[in-house]
Amino acid sequence: MPRWKPDGRERLVVAALGLFAEQGYDTTTVAQIAERAGLTRSTFFRHFADKKEILTAGQNALSRLLAEGIETAPAGATPMAAVAAGLERASGEMTAFNRELGPLLRAAIEANEELRNRQALKSIGMAAAMVAALTRRGVAEPAAQVAAEIGVLAFKVGYARWTDPARDDAPGELADHTGAAFEELRSAAAELH
């Protein structure tokens, strides 16, 4: 697989995640991030307001894409079909950069409790965006919540598979992995009753 050539913003993200994994989020400074990326502090601030924004920048976009996919699903789509459309929309926007970032992000999160907490909040935000989109479609709150939670889990499982360098089946599109994870989870849920 060809590797991406990072631009300044991407270099800052990679540098930050590496430093967060090595020395922790709290002790990492903007100056250190910029230096590791081979850029200046002013360049950092052209892309991000602070180091926290590095972690949250993609969250809003991901939640928006999930909601857009749900909202544009066909009118007669079931809640689960609408969530599948949301997963396909969001997954389709992920690039080689997102794939390369996976192992760095995983290492940074595993090394820092605050980052693990932020990751949990990201999952909550994704679910909330999907629940809101489903309820706007007229889905009752309990059904919307269950469908959204399955969608969040499918995205997390699919992304983990897609970004795992040890997996032989990881190449391909993220949408293939999130779609497969979603079907596995939907089948597992059907076996619960």
Side-chain angles (χ1 to χ4, degrees):
M1 179 180 98
R3 292 181 59 88
W4 91 103
K5 183 174 168 111
D7 63 16
R9 182 181 175 89
E10 292 170 343
R11 285 170 43 200
L12 289 164
V13 171
V14 170
L17 291 176
L19 287 165
F20 296 163
E22 292 166 21
Q23 64 189 34
Y25 174 79
D26 293 331
T27 58
T28 299
T29 66
V30 167
Q32 290 170 326
I33 295 168
E35 181 180 334
R36 175 157 302 178
L39 301 168
T40 64
R41 280 175 41 101
S42 62
T43 300
F44 177 95
F45 288 115
R46 267 188 295 226
H47 293 286
F48 301 102
D50 55 25
K51 67 180 182 177
K52 175 183 169 189
E53 191 177 322
I54 288 174
L55 300 170
T56 60
Q59 178 179 345
N60 293 337
L62 180 58
S63 293
R64 178 183 49 77
L65 290 167
L66 288 164
E68 284 176 6
I70 290 170
E71 290 165 354
T72 59
T78 66
M80 293 296 275
V83 168
L87 288 170
E88 185 174 348
R89 171 79 172 100
S91 298
E93 293 294 318
M94 298 293 166
T95 66
F97 173 68
N98 300 105
R99 183 157 187 236
E100 294 284 335
L101 205 58
L104 292 172
L105 186 57
R106 190 174 310 116
I109 289 169
E110 288 172 2
N112 187 282
E113 183 176 353
E114 182 176 349
L115 298 184
R116 287 190 298 274
N117 292 337
R118 287 183 188 277
Q119 185 68 12
L121 290 175
K122 178 179 177 180
S123 295
I124 292 168
M126 289 168 57
M130 288 192 281
V131 167
L134 288 165
T135 56
R136 285 191 294 273
R137 290 177 63 92
V139 177
E141 181 86 21
Q145 189 68 47
V146 170
E149 292 294 338
I150 291 172
V152 169
L153 185 54
F155 186 87
K156 288 166 51 174
V157 168
Y159 184 78
R161 290 175 181 169
W162 185 58
T163 60
D164 184 351
R167 287 183 61 105
D168 292 334
D169 65 341
E173 300 299 322
L174 175 58
D176 297 331
H177 294 278
T178 57
F182 186 71
E183 288 306 317
E184 290 167 21
L185 292 166
R186 186 161 41 186
S187 293
E191 293 174 14
L192 295 176
H193 45 129

